[in-house]
Amino acid sequence: MEYKERKRWLFLGLPFTFTKYIIKEDVITMDTGLLKTVENDCYMYKVQDVQHSATLLEKMFRLGTVTCFTGDTTHPQLYLVHIKHSRDIKDFILEQSEKARLKRRTVNMLDIGSGAMQDMGDPD
């Protein structure tokens, strides 16, 4: 599955900007610019968390913003701004990033400090 979206103006949700987002199962690509175009990729396995937000105006025009918190050096926070189908895209990115991490065996485990390991230490 693949999503292709454009950054839109907040006014009526019109796509008059020169930013395109292509979200595939293994990579997120952001193309920006008209005269000088810049293409930036972020692999799905680097996406650690995803956040969806929508202001009142975005809700009125059925838009939203998706924030991807990544381990990428060029974009630690990747913003997909004023896009349609933002909630579906957020769910897709979250699901595909988890699959990509499992596939590459790069799953991060958090130590929440339960204290169980401290109790099992040396009796001395």
Side-chain angles (χ1 to χ4, degrees):
M1 180 163 211
E2 177 179 304
Y3 286 97
K4 291 183 181 179
E5 286 293 331
R6 296 182 74 86
K7 179 179 177 182
R8 298 170 179 273
W9 281 358
L10 203 48
F11 177 70
L12 299 178
L14 300 173
F16 287 140
T17 63
F18 299 103
T19 301
K20 294 179 229 162
Y21 306 110
I22 302 167
I23 300 103
K24 297 180 183 176
E25 293 178 354
D26 57 343
V27 70
I28 300 171
T29 303
M30 182 171 59
D31 290 331
T32 57
L34 173 64
L35 298 176
K36 176 187 174 187
T37 56
V38 177
E39 183 175 302
N40 190 8
D41 294 325
C42 178
Y43 289 107
M44 279 292 187
Y45 76 90
K46 291 186 176 185
V47 176
Q48 298 167 354
D49 198 14
V50 183
Q51 176 183 347
H52 175 265
S53 62
T55 63
L56 181 61
L57 283 174
E58 284 178 326
K59 288 179 188 178
M60 288 172 57
F61 298 112
R62 296 184 180 170
L63 302 175
T65 299
V66 177
T67 306
C68 299
F69 300 95
T70 70
D72 196 23
T73 49
T74 56
H75 284 279
Q77 292 183 354
L78 181 65
Y79 296 100
L80 310 177
V81 183
H82 306 317
I83 57 173
K84 287 189 173 187
H85 313 291
S86 58
R87 199 173 299 271
D88 295 335
I89 290 173
K90 180 209 58 125
D91 293 338
F92 178 76
I93 291 173
L94 196 60
E95 181 180 320
Q96 291 303 318
S97 65
E98 184 65 26
K99 286 181 182 178
R101 280 195 302 275
L102 289 173
K103 183 179 177 183
R104 289 173 83 63
R105 297 182 180 144
T106 57
V107 179
N108 292 334
M109 299 294 183
L110 295 176
D111 180 21
I112 57 174
S114 64
M117 292 302 291
Q118 295 169 358
D119 294 339
M120 298 176 66
D122 256 350
D124 295 324

